[in-house]
C-alpha cells in the first residue's frame, strides 16, 4: 500500500471520525435534555447513578484490549482471539462484581430501588466489550465511515426502544 493511499485513507477516516464524534455528542446532548424533561428528578437521578457505575465498570472491563488491537503492528487471528477471550473474562468479573455489589452500590447512592437496575445493567457489560473490540478492528483498518454509520443506527435504535412514549 502506498503512502499516498494511507495518507488519503487517514484523512478521510479523520473526517468521518470527527463528524461521528460531533454527531454522537449532539445526539447525547439531545437524549440528556429529552430525558431531563420527560423523567421526574428521582428517575433522572437514578439514570445518572446507573450510567456512572456502568460506565466505570465498562472502563475497568475493557482493560485496554481494544486499544491494543488498534496499536499492534501485525495482527493475526490469535491476537484477536486472545483479546476477545481476556476481555470477556474481565467483563465477566466486572459484571459479577457489579451484581454482587449491587446492594452496596444502591446503599451508597441512598436508593434501594437502584439494586435491580445495577444488576440488569451489569449484564450488558460483556456485550459492550464485544462491540468495543469490533469497533477497534474497524478503527484499525480506518473504516470510520462504516463505524460511524453503525453507531448512528445503533444509537437511533437505542432511542426508539428506550425513550418512554
Amino acid at each position: 500500500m502506498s503512502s499516498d493511499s494511507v495518507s488519503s485513507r487517514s484523512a478521510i477516516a479523520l473526517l468521518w471520525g470527527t463528524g461521528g464524534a460531533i454527531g454522537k455528542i449532539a445526539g447525547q446532548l439531545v437524549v440528556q435534555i429529552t430525558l431531563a424533561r420527560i423523567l421526574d428528578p428521582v428517575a433522572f437521578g437514578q439514570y445518572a447513578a446507573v450510567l456512572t457505575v456502568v460506565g466505570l465498570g465498562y472502563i475497568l472491563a475493557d482493560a485496554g484490549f481494544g486499544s491494543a488491537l488498534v496499536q499492534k503492528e501485525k495482527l493475526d487471528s490469535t491476537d484477536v482471539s486472545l483479546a476477545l477471550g481476556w476481555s470477556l473474562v474481565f467483563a465477566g468479573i466486572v459484571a459479577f462484581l457489579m451484581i454482587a455489589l449491587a446492594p452496596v452500590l444502591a446503599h451508597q447512592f441512598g436508593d434501594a430501588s437502584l439494586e435491580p437496575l445495577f444488576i440488569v445493567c451489569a449484564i450488558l457489560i460483556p456485550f459492550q466489550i464485544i462491540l468495543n473490540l469490533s469497533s477497534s478492528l474497524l478503527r484499525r483498518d480506518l473504516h470510520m465511515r462504516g463505524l460511524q454509520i453503525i453507531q448512528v443506527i445503533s444509537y437511533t435504535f437505542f432511542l426508539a426502544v428506550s425513550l418512554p412514549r
Side-chain angles (χ1 to χ4, degrees):
M1 187 178 299
S2 72
S3 65
D4 288 338
S5 175
V6 171
S7 297
S8 65
R9 287 184 61 215
S10 297
I12 292 169
L14 177 66
L15 291 174
W16 274 101
T18 302
I22 291 169
K24 186 176 180 181
I25 291 168
Q28 288 175 345
L29 182 63
V30 168
V31 168
Q32 297 298 326
I33 291 170
T34 303
L35 287 174
R37 293 188 57 79
I38 62 175
L39 296 176
D40 63 49
V42 172
F44 189 75
Q46 290 173 328
Y47 162 75
V50 171
L51 194 62
T52 301
V53 171
V54 171
L56 179 61
Y58 169 73
I59 290 169
L60 293 172
D62 177 49
F65 287 107
S67 297
L69 288 178
V70 172
Q71 295 175 9
K72 188 151 195 263
E73 188 174 338
K74 295 195 188 259
L75 191 66
D76 61 24
S77 61
T78 304
D79 298 322
V80 176
S81 297
L82 282 171
L84 176 61
W86 280 108
S87 292
L88 288 175
V89 167
F90 278 95
I93 291 169
V94 169
F96 174 77
L97 286 173
M98 189 179 297
I99 290 169
L101 294 174
V104 174
L105 292 167
H107 178 73
Q108 287 299 315
F109 282 100
D111 186 354
S113 65
L114 287 173
E115 184 178 340
L117 298 174
F118 287 134
I119 291 170
V120 169
C121 289
I123 296 167
L124 299 175
I125 290 176
F127 295 104
Q128 289 178 308
I129 295 302
I130 293 170
L131 293 173
N132 178 53
L133 291 178
S134 301
S135 299
S136 295
L137 292 172
L138 287 171
R139 272 193 299 281
R140 175 187 171 79
D141 293 334
L142 300 176
H143 294 301
M144 298 304 283
R145 179 178 146 211
L147 180 60
Q148 299 307 327
I149 291 170
I150 290 168
Q151 288 180 343
V152 166
I153 291 170
S154 65
Y155 207 67
T156 303
F157 178 75
F158 165 76
L159 288 175
V161 299
S162 66
L163 287 179
R165 302 219 172 351

